[in-house]
């Protein structure tokens, strides 16, 4: 495991990149995590930063998402108040080199969930959820070639978290629906159409929820009441440009949209 000082130095370098828009090829050898666990230790330093943690993200829950960042499985990341885009406000593409949008199912937690000694079932995981929301994520990376640095460095860089819009709360009927088969249709600038469904998220957004809770326990993370987790894109990452409007329809569950500036 990396020592505390090295973890803090790596975190500070990545935080400077986020604030200034700078990019790096990779973390310097002396600060580079050898394991994904070391990467998550660097990421966890965000909890000591000025912006409050409000939720979580899961990166690479779809094959398209895994291909996009060059990994073979999901990663968790933190979302802070500084990353949030309010509904009705534009999302800025300043410093965003990925320039993609992702339409996602978002679960909010009804209670605090401390680390568990045993793995959680889907039924129990769903009992810990208060509501379902719709979301749009605008990920980014601080690495020049994010698809080549590997899972450990991506975990250190907060699983490509950048900006996120928490959209409307879905009607209560969502609990009666098969979210795996639920269709999601997204558009960019009313011209480019992207079709997907919940099954693109680890086979089912509820399966992604289970993965997240179990992974948080493995990392000794306490999930706080009121926090949320956005479960990954239901459609392929959608290329966006300044001035575009991105919208996603979740059918009877509602819709969400955002303009890019």
């Amino acid at each position: 495991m990396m020592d505390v000082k090295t973890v803090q130095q790596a975190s500070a370098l990545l935080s400077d990149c986020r604030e200034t828009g700078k990019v790096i090829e990779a973390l310097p050898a002396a600060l580079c995590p050898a394991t994904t666990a070391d990467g998550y230790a660097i990421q966890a330093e965000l909890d000591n930063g000025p912006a409050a943690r409000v939720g979580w993200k899961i990166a690479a829950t779809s094959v398209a998402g895994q291909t996009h960042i060059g990994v073979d499985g999901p990663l968790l990341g933190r979302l802070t108040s500084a990353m949030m885009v309010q509904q009705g406000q534009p999302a800025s593409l300043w410093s965003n080199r990925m320039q993609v949008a992702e339409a996602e199912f978002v679960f909010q937690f009804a209670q605090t969930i401390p680390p568990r000694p045993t793995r959680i079932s889907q039924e129990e995981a769903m009992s810990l959820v208060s509501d379902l929301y719709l979301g749009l994520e605008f990920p980014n990376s601080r690495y020049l070639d994010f698809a080549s640095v590997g899972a450990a460095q991506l975990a250190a860089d907060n699983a490509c978290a950048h900006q996120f819009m928490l959209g409307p709360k879905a009607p209560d009927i969502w609990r009666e629906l098969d979210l795996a088969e639920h269709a999601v249709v997204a558009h960019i600038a009313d011209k480019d159409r992207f079709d997907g469904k919940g099954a693109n998220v680890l086979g089912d957004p509820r399966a992604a929820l289970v993965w997240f809770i179990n992974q948080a326990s493995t990392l000794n993370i306490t999930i706080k009441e009121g926090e949320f987790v956005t479960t990954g894109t239901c459609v392929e990452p959608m290329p966006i440009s300044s001035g575009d409007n991105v919208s996603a329809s979740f059918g009877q569950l509602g819709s969400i949209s955002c303009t890019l500036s």
Side-chain angles (χ1 to χ4, degrees):
M1 291 291 292
M2 300 175 75
D3 63 79
V4 173
K5 183 178 179 180
T6 303
V7 165
Q8 292 172 341
Q9 289 175 335
S11 176
L13 174 56
L14 289 168
S15 291
D16 180 66
C17 289
R18 293 186 193 99
E19 293 168 7
T20 63
K22 293 187 297 188
V23 294
I24 56 177
E25 288 191 11
L27 285 166
L31 304 180
C32 191
T35 66
T36 306
D38 284 340
Y40 280 130
I42 295 169
Q43 180 192 130
E45 283 295 306
L46 286 169
D47 290 343
N48 299 321
R53 192 181 79 206
V54 296
W56 302 86
K57 64 160 288 181
I58 315 176
T61 50
S62 69
V63 173
Q66 290 168 11
T67 300
H68 186 231
I69 62 173
V71 295
D72 58 7
L75 296 167
L76 69 76
R78 288 157 163 82
L79 294 173
T80 71
S81 56
M83 301 175 191
M84 300 300 291
V85 178
Q86 300 302 313
Q87 292 184 64
Q89 297 297 311
S92 172
L93 289 181
W94 175 82
S95 83
N96 191 322
R97 298 176 55 258
M98 279 191 172
Q99 297 206 358
V100 296
E102 301 179 344
E104 313 196 0
F105 288 103
V106 188
F107 295 106
Q108 186 175 49
F109 294 101
Q111 63 188 72
T112 294
I113 309 171
R116 301 163 47 90
T118 58
R119 298 183 68 80
I120 197 169
S121 67
Q122 182 170 296
E123 181 179 5
E124 187 177 1
M126 292 302 296
S127 74
L128 301 175
V129 168
S130 59
D131 294 292
L132 178 73
Y133 287 80
L134 314 180
L136 285 174
E137 186 183 8
F138 307 97
N140 194 23
S141 175
R142 276 45 68 173
Y143 301 117
L144 190 62
D145 183 4
F146 51 81
S148 68
V149 295
Q153 290 202 74
L154 291 173
D157 190 29
N158 201 23
C160 302
H162 183 62
Q163 288 187 304
F164 181 72
M165 176 181 282
L166 184 65
K169 183 168 69 173
D172 290 341
I173 193 176
W174 72 266
R175 288 190 183 270
E176 303 170 19
L177 301 178
D178 182 355
L179 295 183
E181 293 302 318
H182 195 79
V184 179
V185 180
H187 289 88
I188 302 295
D190 297 322
K191 54 180 182 180
D192 297 322
R193 173 172 170 148
F194 300 82
D195 289 272
K197 60 181 180 178
N200 290 334
V201 182
L202 286 183
D204 189 320
R206 293 165 295 193
L209 171 70
V210 170
W211 178 90
F212 169 72
I213 295 174
N214 286 327
Q215 182 70 359
S217 284
T218 298
L219 296 171
N220 200 35
I221 290 170
T222 295
I223 303 164
K224 298 178 182 179
E225 178 183 353
E227 290 184 336
F228 59 84
V229 60
T230 186
T231 54
T233 185
C234 297
V235 299
E236 66 180 271
M238 302 177 286
I240 51 176
S241 301
S242 181
D244 282 347
N245 179 270
V246 55
S247 62
S249 171
F250 291 74
Q252 60 188 307
L253 298 182
S255 60
I256 182 173
S257 65
C258 184
T259 299
L260 288 310
S261 67

